[in-house]
Amino acid sequence: MTRISGRDRHHMLGAFAAMVFVGLSWGANVPVSKVMLLHFDVVPMLAVRTLTAVATLAMVLVLAEGVGSLRIEVGLKRFLLIGLMMSGFFVIFTIGIRFSNPISAAAVQVAGPLVAAATVRLVTGMRFDPGFGVALALTLSGGTILAAGSLFGQGALTLGGGEIVVLLSNALWTIYSLKAQAWFDRASQLHRAYVASLSALGWMVPLSLALVVMGWARSPFVVTDVWVWTQLLLVAVFASAMGAYFWNIGASRLGVAIASLWVNLVPFFAVLWSMAYGFMPNVYQIVGGLVALSGVVYMQWRKLQSMKR
């Protein structure tokens, strides 16, 4: 039997703690983004969030590693692509939230690890985890139960149409995660998050300005409500900035596929945060989410069993 050293145990506990933070912060992102979209247009809001995230990560990076760590040494092509993937995910995910109920959006995200596993398979050729087929069947069953809410006249409370967009955005985030680990040499996870966010800002700001100038979006600065701005900046710091950093830690130590299983904490916390914002779940959302979650739990259990052999 192979003994696990104290250093390895500490390494794994740090990864688990990082993923709990990701679940808590990204869970808050779902209902907060839904509320913020009542006041802001998608791209200008994301530009402000990304700017705040970059400023936060830069400050933390300087304090932790010095001013020299702000240098970009990943190469122009990779720098542009890593930000394009991150900003693309932000836009697609937020559009999905815009057209969905936050409880339902949280519920369908339990299938995120399956999308991530399929994406890893396509990109890297890595085999599916044990139990993937059963997990997929249970997840699809959970989605059917969610859809049943619409069939029985509770569509306003169940599916808004954007839930599938939220789910499929996991594929783009998985590709970003794989490249964030592969394209840097020995850079820290904090530096990787900073570089990706800075590149994303380079894509987001020009797009936002263009949309505002053409009259297709409102400037975010027409909003003067202090409470609204406080919510926006808090989710930018904790979800966009620190959430991305701690995700990189988990992905680097656990692997993208395993870290994606921990993203099942996001729906749990998202439902709790959504209730705090006045979005109450109905029976279809609860049952559908639990059935879908059972599929991923089963896949994780099968993987753990295979590792013991």
Side-chain angles (χ1 to χ4, degrees):
M1 180 181 295
T2 303
R3 297 187 62 182
I4 301 176
S5 67
R7 183 178 181 277
D8 290 339
R9 187 180 297 108
H10 183 268
H11 195 71
M12 286 297 102
L13 287 176
F16 297 159
M19 296 312 299
V20 170
F21 181 89
V22 168
L24 183 62
S25 61
W26 287 4
N29 180 50
V30 175
V32 173
S33 293
K34 183 69 175 181
V35 173
M36 291 304 100
L37 287 170
L38 299 175
H39 306 276
F40 300 97
D41 287 328
V42 172
V43 177
M45 180 189 76
L46 290 174
V48 172
R49 281 185 52 169
T50 308
L51 176 60
T52 305
V54 170
T56 301
L57 289 168
M59 181 176 62
V60 175
L61 188 59
V62 169
L63 291 174
E65 302 179 20
V67 177
S69 61
L70 295 177
R71 290 195 301 268
I72 309 300
E73 299 177 343
V74 73
L76 180 60
K77 181 179 179 180
R78 290 182 174 181
F79 175 72
L80 293 174
L81 286 176
I82 199 77
L84 180 61
M85 287 184 283
M86 175 178 273
S87 58
F89 165 78
F90 286 158
V91 172
I92 294 171
F93 178 85
T94 307
I95 289 175
I97 293 294
R98 169 69 178 81
F99 294 101
S100 65
N101 177 278
I103 299 289
S104 294
V108 299
Q109 285 188 81
V110 299
L114 299 180
V115 175
T119 305
V120 171
R121 169 68 173 174
L122 290 173
V123 174
T124 69
M126 185 183 300
R127 296 180 60 184
F128 289 125
D129 290 327
F132 181 85
V134 174
L136 179 61
L138 287 170
T139 299
L140 292 176
S141 298
T144 302
I145 294 172
L146 281 170
S150 298
L151 297 177
F152 288 101
Q154 299 190 26
L157 294 175
T158 306
L159 294 179
E163 289 82 1
I164 188 64
V165 178
V166 171
L167 179 60
L168 293 179
S169 68
N170 283 276
L172 186 54
W173 183 258
T174 301
I175 295 173
Y176 153 75
S177 301
L178 291 169
K179 299 307 180 184
Q181 299 308 313
W183 284 355
F184 294 81
D185 293 327
R186 288 176 290 181
S188 68
Q189 298 304 323
L190 180 59
H191 179 78
R192 297 173 201 228
Y194 161 74
V195 170
S197 298
L198 181 62
S199 176
L201 181 65
W203 289 97
M204 204 74 72
V205 170
L207 177 59
S208 178
L209 290 174
L211 292 175
V212 171
V213 169
M214 290 186 291
W216 294 350
R218 297 171 299 162
S219 168
F221 301 109
V222 301
V223 179
T224 58
D225 190 308
V226 175
W227 180 87
V228 172
W229 274 98
T230 300
Q231 300 295 300
L232 178 62
L233 295 178
L234 284 174
V235 79
V237 170
F238 290 102
S240 299
M242 303 312 296
Y245 165 48
F246 283 111
W247 162 262
N248 279 359
I249 291 178
S252 66
R253 298 184 184 184
L254 303 173
V256 174
I258 298 299
S260 296
L261 292 174
W262 282 81
V263 176
N264 279 308
L265 290 173
V266 173
F268 171 74
F269 285 115
V271 169
L272 296 182
W273 284 111
S274 296
M275 292 171 66
Y277 278 85
F279 300 100
M280 303 305 293
N282 62 39
V283 65
Y284 296 99
Q285 292 162 333
I286 294 173
V287 175
L290 288 175
V291 171
L293 179 60
S294 68
V296 181
V297 171
Y298 172 77
M299 185 172 66
Q300 187 173 15
W301 175 77
R302 285 289 307 274
K303 185 173 183 65
L304 289 174
Q305 292 298 111
S306 66
M307 291 173 63
K308 293 179 180 178
R309 295 172 185 171

